[in-house]
Amino acid sequence: MRYGHFDDDAREYVITRPDTPRAWSNYLGSRRYGGIVTQNAGGYSFYRSGGTGRLLRMRFNGVPQDESGRYVYLRDDVTGDFWSASWQPVGKPLDGPGAYRATVRHGLGYSVLESSYAGIDTEMTMFVPRDQAFEHWSLRITNTGAEPRVISAFSYAELANDWGFRQDLENLQYSQYVVRADYRDGFIHRVNRTRAATSECWFALSGAEVVSFDTDRDAFLGAYRTTAAPLAVEKGECSGSETWGDNACASLHTRLELAPGETRQIVFTLGVGSPDEPWDDGDAVLPPGRELVAAHATPERIAAEVDALREEWAARLAPLHVTTPDPQLDSMVNVWHAYQTHMTFNWSRGVSLIEAGDRDGLGFRDTAQDILAIVHSIPDAAQERLNLLLTGQTAEGGALPLVHPLTHTPGKEQAPQLEQYRSDDALWLPMSVTALVNETGDLDYLSTTLPYADAGEDTVLGHLVQALRFSLEHRGAHGLVQGLAADWNDCLQFGVEGESMFSTFLLANGLRAVSELAALIGDGSVAAWCVEQLSLLLEAIEGAWDGEWYVRGISAVGVPLGSADADEGRIYLEPNVWAVISGAASPGRARQAMDAVHEHLSSEHGVALCAPPHTRPLDGVGLSLLVFPPGHKENGGIFCHATAWAVVAEAMLGHGERAYEYYRAYLPGRHNDDAGLRQTEPYVYSQFTHGPSSPRFGQSRNPWLTGAASWTYVAVTQRILGVRPVPTGLKVDPCVPADWDGFTVRRDFRGRSVTIQVANPDGVNRGVAMLSVDGTAVDGDIAPTDLLRDGSLVEVVLG
Ligand code: IFM
């Protein structure tokens, strides 16, 4: 079943049936003030943090799945019939005579929900104006009939009692009694003085008179009712309730008389702060709500701000644009995939319909990887975030698992105990720093001094060396890196006694990357040290070859995990792809390992993380993945983040068919026309797809905030299309299916806009036969920076 389509010109995904298999969501706003909105106006809003700035309440895992939300009810005041501007929560029939029609356009930073019912058309645009701490729900209501109509509109949103999401949802003996909300002169004002902070927000209506209001949720809904049929809407009037404890809401009611063909526009605005006073948020002073609404909530300003938002996103995505023989690849890479990488970068793993706020802060490893996908688009933000991470590294070289941007205090953070460190965290830094430096060409960055999390400071290069030292010093009996609390796979605990091949390959990768960075700034001794350490490490890595593939690690009792001898967890994906990506495997081993991956782990929906999945504990290694039934998540699920590494590895080996086969296997847009199978948004990568051993094989889960977005973006743009920055210029090293006759990439690079045209006349997978910059032939596959100008054309012929 198809529920919608991509509209690439408008950069929108258009949902034409609102009864999607799961809620299909979109993100609004920025890291200052963000929101999530589903095709049914479900979702919530947050100020600076999904965990501690929860403005609108969300009842996670509730029924229906995306309650509560930003609702506007419409009521025919003559007949009493009522419905909502989004299909839910009233849920009028979608079929039959007089059916409710809905079209939802999810755009970049906004969503437009259109409805048509009973001779009334509505169009509700939801967005956060750029750089603001408030959101609009701008509603246009049209009488499409031949008779005058009297239509009431009621807003409804649940205002969280406490901005701390846990307090709000769990500590009810407290949070239900701290809340106060009242109404004055068109504004609802909710203010709390909680133990943590004073939080305030306001809600206003513009473009029509407020006829009645409710600020008390239960007064609006009525006892034992649901949002499908609130008492106030049924009666046609709110009760004028003020909130003294229990639960607050924002309901403003207006009544519109609409002549035939007449359209009225009204605007509901929700903002942080006070209606009447400036509000100091610690970083900036927010003007009073009344001032903001007077200036912003006009039809002209709303239209201008939505346009500005579109332009801002167009500019944000413009640095990389591709045209290939695969239109679904183009749709994804040019619009939604790129957008998802920004949302993932913005919100880490903190706020979605699944990530409830519990994982507030920036996961160290997640963020280091998320940077890889956005650095070409927002290099300054990438550098700022990277600086934050580097200051989340401890002086001994490991890293804090989470860095909290709002409270992080370099020099004063507590270093974890050895067994609490994740063995991979700091080892991602060399890759992120390399990506930044290659993108910007700014080698001085390596000499910038930054503090450590707990004590002391060092240059950026010094931080990287320290990360390597930490892992070199914490190796186990086989010379491989200790697994500690976890490596990239959160669900495997090798501990202090066991060793992780994932982290060992990441260390190899880091040694190679840091040696190259050090050489670039003429630090020969660091470069030589890295090379020497790498060659020693490669000897130890040799011992981890199992015969046909690399083992996953060595347990604390000296038994390999991921070995052909085992009956469960016989082969794992991560060590084998990282053997290739790190360059640590010989060409023969690399090919053999990836062939084993193909044989044992690949499927039509992607590559499973391990096979067969585990059902029993093992001695000497913590398998917390056992909490997941076989085929789920880390226990043999198709973990899309890691499938992206398989794409990278196959492309590095020159296997264009297989790299593309893996890429297509989990490409969200591929399932647009049978969205019932995959179920999650066809425009967004999900964290995992149920693996072959799950009865739900093919169903994807946990959309939006996932390293799958970041790494797949790297895989497709830098490895399949093969365009990636290197110190001396732009490398063009595609690895494509043989039946592709060519493609074009337009990319910004160090202040220039460059077009790369690749032709594949001989139908090869890989290999650059000819490269020229503006007609000048160049040896090799790098378009050198000094030849590139703004508007340069790089022509490449494969062969
Ligand atoms: O690597 C982790 C990530 O940090 C959080 N999500 C799951 C991944 C794999 O375990």
Side-chain angles (χ1 to χ4, degrees), residues 625 628-638 688-691 694-696:
L625 49 71
F628 302 124
H632 288 213
K633 292 205 20 138
E634 283 92 338
N635 194 10
I638 294 164
F688 81 102
T689 299
H690 281 265
S694 160
R696 289 185 183 273

Side-chain angles (χ1 to χ4, degrees), residues 68-75 83-85 89 124 126 137 139 152-159 183 186 188 203-206 210 212-217 220-221 227 230 232-233 238 249-255 266-270:
S68 190
R70 304 171 185 84
Y71 300 137
V72 176
Y73 295 91
L74 300 155
R75 179 180 189 274
W83 62 100
S84 37
M124 180 157 64
M126 298 176 156
W137 322 344
L139 183 71
S152 273
F154 300 79
S155 68
Y156 174 74
E158 254 186 277
L159 304 173
Y183 169 84
I188 287 173
F203 187 83
L205 168 66
S206 313
V210 175
S212 69
F213 68 88
D214 269 314
T215 78
D216 182 287
R217 183 192 72 183
F220 176 79
L221 291 177
T227 49
V233 179
C238 296
C249 76
S251 183
L252 296 177
H253 162 219
T254 190
R255 190 167 288 130
I266 61 174
V267 183
F268 295 102
T269 307
L270 167 69

Side-chain angles (χ1 to χ4, degrees), residues 427-428 430-432 434-435 438 461 464-465 468 472 504-520 526-535 537-538 541 577-585 648 652 711 719 724 726-727:
L427 288 175
W428 291 102
M431 197 179 298
S432 315
T434 301
N438 283 349
L461 188 71
L464 302 186
V465 169
L468 302 175
L472 287 167
T504 302
F505 283 125
L506 204 57
L507 172 60
N509 192 66
L511 287 164
R512 187 183 38 75
V514 175
S515 77
E516 288 167 7
L517 289 172
L520 282 177
V526 165
W529 175 79
C530 289
V531 170
E532 186 195 340
Q533 294 301 322
L534 179 57
S535 77
L537 188 65
L538 291 179
I541 286 175
V577 288
W578 276 93
V580 181
I581 298 171
S582 66
V648 173
M652 288 177 78
W711 265 101
R719 293 295 170 174
R724 55 184 184 274
V726 292

Side-chain angles (χ1 to χ4, degrees), residues 394-410:
T394 60
E396 61 180 327
L400 306 178
L402 269 181
V403 180
H404 294 274
L406 299 181
T407 53
H408 181 61
T409 320

Side-chain angles (χ1 to χ4, degrees), residues 561-583:
L561 175 70
S563 163
D565 295 339
D567 59 347
E568 296 189 345
R570 199 179 300 133
I571 174 168
Y572 270 80
L573 177 60
E574 308 101 299
N576 295 298
V577 288
W578 276 93
V580 181
I581 298 171
S582 66

